[in-house]
Amino acid sequence: MAKKKQSQGYENPRTTPAKVVTSKPAPSTSGGSQARSGASRTADTAQRPVTRPAAEKTTLPAAQSDLPIDKRPVEWWPPAVLALLGFALYINTFGHQYALDDIAAVGQNLFVKKGIAGIPDLLRTEFWHFSNISLGYYRPLSLITFAMEQEYFKDNPNISHMINAGLYGLTGLVIGVLLQKWLTGNAILAFLIGLVFIAHPLHTEIVANIKGRDEILSFLFIALMLLSYWKHLESDATYWFKGPPSDWPLGGMLGLFSLVGGWVIGSSLMGSTVGGVIGVLIMGALSGSWLGLACASLYFAFLSKESSIVSLALIPAMQYWFARRNVWQSLISLWPFLIVTALFFYQKQKMIGTLSGTPPVDWANYPYAIEKTQKSTMFKFLEYYLRLLILPHPLVYDYSYNVIPSGGKGDVLTWAGFFTFIGLIWLAWKGFVKRTLWGFGIFWFFVTMAPGLGFIWIRGGIFAERFTYAAVMGFSFVLVWALQKLLVREPESSTKPLLVRYAPLLGLMVVVAGFYSFKTVERNQDWENNFVLFNSALPYAPNSCQVQRHVANEWIEKGLKDRAKADSIANATNAIKPKPSLEQVKKAQVVIDTNIAHANKHGRWALDHLQESTRIYPNFGEAYFSMAYVFQKITPNVDSAKYYYKQTIRAANAYAPAYNNLGVIYQGEGQAENNRQKLELASYYYNRSMVVNPAYVDGQNNRASLLKAYGIDVKILPDSIVNKY
């Protein structure tokens, strides 16, 4: 069926001028159905008296079909500014080291460390494969980029931080174009919405933390999907390369990425060149059209983060609000994306064997599930999220138990969150019916916050700033719309220059964006390394058992370095030939004693924080593990180390390092005392570490070494022997 043009534009339904001028920003972007001016024909009254007003005959416009919609031009300065600003805001992260989850995602991921050779394994394992947990997260795309960085740059966090900043800048470019497509003829409003999104400090956890690339890539590909599908709505050609040359850069780059991705994924999943060829053929078939590129972008968004599934709701919403399509037209267009969704989750099931994983019973990170307060706490979280969207201070990297106590029937914030939730639902419906800009913002907020709120509702997980990454866009819509309504008083028909009419709004937005940008740059400094990050949270989250443990572990690291320095000086002194002089021994002993004193001091500080951590959460196994490690490595006390490792196993019986370290202690004692029972205990604990985590490499290596040296490989021991020592 031939496509006919449909009248487009996001207009105020109460504005019905004879001629709509779209070259100027509308004073209000709220409204219902699109205003249309019908052609009119007035009765001829020349040379005869008028006895009554002439009847006006209006010719209704012909029935209009669906596609293509009118092509909407783009001014390139706003996307360019957003891209440059997004990159510039994170320049001060370029000298940063690995921090927080970077260590697990990069440093401790053996498949990432293998470089390109590890890509097939990354496509077949879940995200936290080497972290002794099974959360069912299948996010190989960011891990593949880390593996490529390892291949060419080898443990260089500077490159990783630069790539994150570059991807964030690219996100600014894409949303800058997309917003202009949606808000046709109003580049200023589109730019201001993008400006709030790019400058917002809540994004620091994602961009300044290298591991956050999964979220950056997910949102970037969602934005590319929406933009590609919009280009499909605009296009009257089947293939993008048959359209105007201005479409070629976007289509060409997306197509090239899809082809490369098809080769890498196909060859890795099938383990052969044939698989790569099949992948290229599939992606090549998709890459010729805008609809195909939109589907490919959705697939890459899924490979970045499964929560991208919520973007399926944004596709019809975009069409309904901004392309003026009706609800049925908008919903029926989802069918190709539903096929992509089904194929992705089939791939996930085949690759990692689960769609949901098995969250651990963990008071630190899943406390509300244990307390059975998920639903009430979710409403409480909503209030916290809204507050941080408006006033993003203070920001904390961790909100573990017990930073935000459980919600409940007697909690004021829980009830405030409940009534806020109901109010926002009502406003979203009202905004949907009237197709208002603020309605779209609230809808976007709800859709993109669904994973974060669902994390508490379904799994009882903790609050996290990263869940707001995409939701900031919805907040930006509402904020800019509200400020425009408040500050832009001049009607569109005003003869005043555009910048004069928008001067109050622009002035206030400079202040808001300036504050957000300052906070972003300032917050970036906290992500320099673990020591800085963890200590920055202490004043704002002293009741977080995780923060207390993390700070303690940093003091443990310093204590280990002090001990290593003392041992190094002792070894160097003893190595002097023929033998060190008395003066050399005295000087060396002074330095050794100084370093041991520093080690003991740092060990005591670590124990102070660990004791506070276990006061907050008495069954915190990892905190007991750190206590044991202090007594094993920094302030040697073997009996205390054994006691706290066993406390770790009692509190967290699936924590593999505790079994392994107990084995190390018993092996050392067995060798020193020539005690076979202790050597058998060592073998038993090494094997136990492999039972609770088959991928635990230290346990595997220690078991193999003991077996080779003594021929001992014990998997079962009676309790009488296990408890004897």
Side-chain angles (χ1 to χ4, degrees):
M1 183 174 120
K3 296 181 177 179
K4 298 180 183 179
K5 291 284 184 178
Q6 178 181 353
S7 176
Q8 302 299 324
Y10 195 84
E11 301 160 8
N12 190 324
R14 294 181 294 274
T15 304
T16 55
K19 183 178 181 181
V20 178
V21 181
T22 58
S23 61
K24 296 182 181 179
S28 171
T29 52
S30 65
S33 60
Q34 182 181 6
R36 298 173 181 168
S37 55
S40 61
R41 184 174 60 194
T42 307
D44 183 11
T45 59
Q47 300 191 14
R48 58 181 177 178
V50 179
T51 58
R52 60 181 178 178
E56 213 175 63
K57 295 182 180 179
T58 304
T59 302
L60 295 175
Q64 296 176 345
S65 68
D66 193 11
L67 298 175
I69 64 175
D70 291 337
K71 287 184 170 61
R72 302 183 180 181
V74 173
E75 294 185 36
W76 283 100
W77 68 263
V81 170
L82 294 177
L84 291 173
L85 178 63
F87 182 81
L89 284 174
Y90 290 90
I91 287 177
N92 67 331
T93 66
F94 289 177
H96 289 185
Q97 303 165 28
Y98 294 120
L100 199 61
D101 290 335
D102 297 346
I103 289 91
V106 181
Q108 296 175 355
N109 191 313
L110 300 184
F111 298 151
V112 167
K113 301 293 281 186
K114 288 165 67 175
I116 291 176
I119 292 178
D121 292 315
L122 292 174
L123 281 162
R124 295 187 178 95
T125 52
E126 64 175 303
F127 194 85
W128 298 116
H129 176 69
F130 291 100
S131 297
N132 196 36
I133 51 176
S134 175
L135 299 178
Y137 294 166
Y138 183 61
R139 305 170 183 177
L141 187 56
S142 61
L143 295 178
I144 288 172
T145 66
F146 298 150
M148 294 176 70
E149 290 164 30
Q150 287 292 307
E151 181 77 20
Y152 299 109
F153 303 107
K154 268 307 181 202
D155 291 320
N156 188 342
N158 291 338
I159 298 296
S160 299
H161 283 296
M162 290 179 185
I163 292 173
N164 270 22
L167 290 171
Y168 191 63
L170 181 59
T171 301
L173 181 71
V174 174
I175 65 170
V177 174
L178 185 61
L179 287 168
Q180 286 195 57
K181 291 292 186 180
W182 290 349
L183 304 176
T184 182
N186 204 332
I188 290 181
L189 208 63
F191 170 70
L192 293 179
I193 292 171
L195 179 64
V196 173
F197 178 84
I198 287 295
H200 206 287
L202 278 176
H203 291 167
T204 52
E205 178 179 349
I206 299 299
V207 188
N209 188 207
I210 296 169
K211 179 266 169 191
R213 190 176 302 171
D214 56 352
E215 195 77 58
I216 298 175
L217 288 172
S218 170
F219 184 85
L220 175 59
F221 280 112
I222 288 172
L224 286 168
M225 174 194 69
L226 295 174
L227 181 57
S228 296
Y229 193 74
W230 189 274
K231 301 291 289 184
H232 165 71
L233 297 178
E234 287 183 336
S235 177
D236 53 7
T238 304
Y239 302 105
W240 58 262
F241 48 82
K242 291 186 177 181
S246 59
D247 288 347
W248 295 354
L250 175 61
M253 286 187 291
L254 263 180
L256 179 61
F257 184 89
S258 298
L259 291 173
V260 173
W263 172 265
V264 171
I265 294 168
S267 59
S268 298
L269 291 180
M270 299 184 68
S272 65
T273 303
V274 174
V277 172
I278 293 174
V280 169
L281 291 175
I282 293 173
M283 284 301 180
L286 291 176
S287 298
S289 67
W290 287 119
L291 179 59
L293 288 175
C295 290
S297 296
L298 177 63
Y299 176 66
F300 290 124
F302 280 139
L303 287 178
S304 303
K305 200 169 184 181
E306 308 97 314
S307 58
S308 300
I309 193 172
V310 299
S311 66
L312 292 176
L314 301 177
I315 299 169
M318 170 185 74
Q319 298 175 72
Y320 173 78
W321 256 279
F322 302 116
R324 320 311 292 173
R325 305 184 83 190
N326 63 40
V327 174
W328 174 248
Q329 291 169 332
S330 303
L331 289 175
I332 200 67
S333 66
L334 277 176
W335 69 265
F337 301 101
L338 294 177
I339 293 174
V340 172
T341 302
L343 290 174
F344 167 78
F345 283 99
Y346 175 79
Q347 175 182 330
K348 175 181 176 178
Q349 174 69 40
K350 287 298 182 182
M351 291 301 103
I352 66 174
T354 180
L355 292 177
S356 60
T358 307
V361 179
D362 179 3
W363 270 95
N365 296 299
Y366 300 91
Y368 312 107
I370 299 172
E371 294 181 337
K372 308 295 184 184
T373 60
Q374 300 102 304
K375 296 177 178 62
S376 58
T377 307
M378 186 202 73
F379 294 121
K380 188 173 185 176
F381 277 11
L382 179 61
E383 289 297 295
Y384 277 86
Y385 281 125
L386 290 173
R387 184 189 70 78
L388 285 181
L389 282 170
I390 299 168
L391 183 64
H393 178 83
L395 299 179
V396 180
Y397 77 93
D398 181 88
Y399 294 84
S400 299
Y401 186 85
N402 193 26
V403 177
I404 304 177
S406 288
K409 294 181 179 178
D411 185 71
V412 174
L413 282 178
T414 297
W415 284 106
F418 174 76
F419 288 115
T420 300
F421 183 84
I422 296 299
L424 288 175
I425 290 290
W426 178 78
L427 286 173
W429 172 252
K430 185 177 179 181
F432 169 79
V433 172
K434 295 186 176 182
R435 280 187 169 125
T436 61
L437 193 63
W438 53 264
F440 180 78
I442 296 174
F443 179 86
W444 181 290
F445 171 80
F446 269 122
V447 168
T448 54
M449 275 304 303
L453 296 177
F455 184 61
I456 167 65
W457 183 285
I458 298 171
R459 293 195 165 184
I462 59 175
F463 183 96
E465 293 169 9
R466 63 184 175 275
F467 291 135
T468 65
Y469 183 75
V472 171
M473 179 69 80
F475 166 74
S476 303
F477 271 94
V478 176
L479 176 66
V480 173
W481 171 86
L483 293 179
Q484 181 208 28
K485 294 292 288 184
L486 180 67
L487 299 174
V488 181
R489 297 293 188 177
E490 296 288 338
E492 184 183 1
S493 59
S494 173
T495 57
K496 292 184 178 179
L498 185 67
L499 291 178
V500 173
R501 290 192 291 115
Y502 275 77
L505 175 62
L506 292 172
L508 183 56
M509 289 305 301
V510 167
V511 174
V512 172
F515 167 73
Y516 283 171
S517 298
F518 173 81
K519 179 63 179 177
T520 294
V521 174
E522 186 263 341
R523 175 62 175 161
N524 286 343
Q525 299 173 18
D526 293 338
W527 288 90
E528 180 179 354
N529 54 48
N530 274 345
F531 185 82
V532 175
L533 179 65
F534 298 159
N535 280 278
S536 73
L538 268 181
Y540 304 113
N543 288 328
S544 168
C545 60
Q546 284 280 35
V547 169
Q548 294 288 349
R549 182 181 73 91
H550 287 163
V551 171
N553 286 348
E554 290 306 300
W555 289 122
I556 290 173
E557 286 296 320
K558 291 186 178 296
L560 290 173
K561 290 178 181 178
D562 294 329
R563 275 281 172 181
K565 192 179 296 183
D567 292 342
S568 175
I569 293 170
N571 292 335
T573 303
N574 292 332
I576 296 175
K577 300 298 181 181
K579 67 177 183 178
S581 66
L582 183 61
E583 186 65 23
Q584 288 174 320
V585 171
K586 287 182 178 179
K587 287 183 178 180
Q589 193 62 50
V590 170
V591 179
I592 291 170
D593 290 343
T594 300
N595 280 285
I596 290 177
H598 287 162
N600 291 336
K601 177 179 66 176
H602 292 148
R604 288 195 305 272
W605 289 353
L607 289 172
D608 288 342
H609 287 290
L610 292 169
Q611 287 168 357
E612 179 63 16
S613 181
T614 54
R615 182 196 65 78
I616 297 168
Y617 173 23
N619 289 317
F620 195 9
E622 289 164 299
Y624 290 119
F625 176 85
S626 295
M627 288 183 182
Y629 199 76
V630 170
F631 288 116
Q632 182 182 7
K633 294 292 187 179
I634 299 177
T635 56
N637 187 320
V638 173
D639 290 337
S640 293
K642 289 180 186 176
Y643 171 78
Y644 283 113
Y645 280 135
K646 291 177 180 179
Q647 285 288 89
T648 303
I649 294 171
R650 177 189 60 79
N653 60 10
Y655 196 63
Y659 295 99
N660 176 75
N661 287 13
L662 262 177
V664 170
I665 291 175
Y666 283 119
Q667 181 175 345
E669 289 183 335
Q671 290 170 334
E673 302 168 9
N674 196 24
N675 185 325
R676 183 173 179 84
Q677 274 195 341
K678 288 191 174 182
L679 292 175
E680 290 176 347
L681 264 176
S683 177
Y684 167 77
Y685 280 117
Y686 292 148
N687 278 298
R688 286 297 302 164
S689 74
M690 294 165 57
V691 169
V692 298
N693 184 4
Y696 188 62
V697 176
D698 289 348
Q700 294 174 3
N701 293 339
N702 288 335
R703 170 192 168 276
S705 176
L706 184 62
L707 177 62
K708 182 178 180 180
Y710 296 95
I712 297 175
D713 186 18
V714 178
K715 293 182 172 63
I716 300 174
L717 276 178
D719 290 342
S720 58
I721 295 179
V722 173
N723 297 328
K724 180 178 179 180
Y725 298 102

